[in-house]
Amino acid sequence: SLCAGGAPSLSYRELKDLKKTNILHIDVRERWEINKFGKIPASINIPLGELVEALQMDPTEFKEQYNQKMPAKSDPVVFSCLAGTRSKQALSFAMSLGFS
């Protein structure tokens, strides 16, 4: 299940369309889940337990750790997980850190 600020839930098709634009897709599942169920193309994996720390990293450190440019607070970001609970938490965390 997927979450974005303006639309708390997105369908898979909506996500596919969004991914054609400049959007950062963060998968907050645990690494073992990615290994077991597969990685979503063009997403980065930041387990929910690391997210708050990751979103406060120095941009250089973020790029080194996640091999991706750190999002600015105004950049479009989508979170996903398995059932939708963790992606909603991720959205709350990000918004509490000032992400719009």
Side-chain angles (χ1 to χ4, degrees):
S1 197
L2 313 156
C3 280
S9 291
L10 291 170
S11 69
Y12 177 69
R13 177 145 310 284
E14 288 170 316
L15 177 66
K16 277 185 80 165
D17 289 343
L18 265 178
K19 286 173 82 92
K20 294 173 189 163
T21 65
N22 190 22
I23 192 156
L24 178 62
H25 176 189
I26 299 176
D27 187 333
V28 296
R29 292 178 296 161
E30 296 300 318
R31 289 189 177 86
W32 69 265
E33 291 176 280
I34 304 282
N35 294 336
K36 183 174 179 181
F37 301 111
K39 183 181 191 298
I40 300 168
S43 67
I44 64 168
N45 176 227
I46 305 177
L48 187 64
E50 290 176 23
L51 186 69
V52 171
E53 186 183 342
L55 293 177
Q56 298 179 89
M57 278 180 172
D58 173 79
T60 310
E61 194 182 343
F62 186 94
K63 178 114 175 75
E64 283 171 10
Q65 176 123 6
Y66 300 107
N67 201 24
Q68 176 82 39
K69 183 179 171 285
M70 185 169 175
K73 291 206 180 342
S74 59
D75 285 349
V77 178
V78 171
F79 298 102
S80 67
C81 63
L82 201 59
T85 305
R86 288 173 289 179
S87 55
K88 285 182 178 64
Q89 282 182 287
L91 183 61
S92 296
F93 289 159
M95 292 173 81
S96 73
L97 292 171
F99 284 80
S100 54

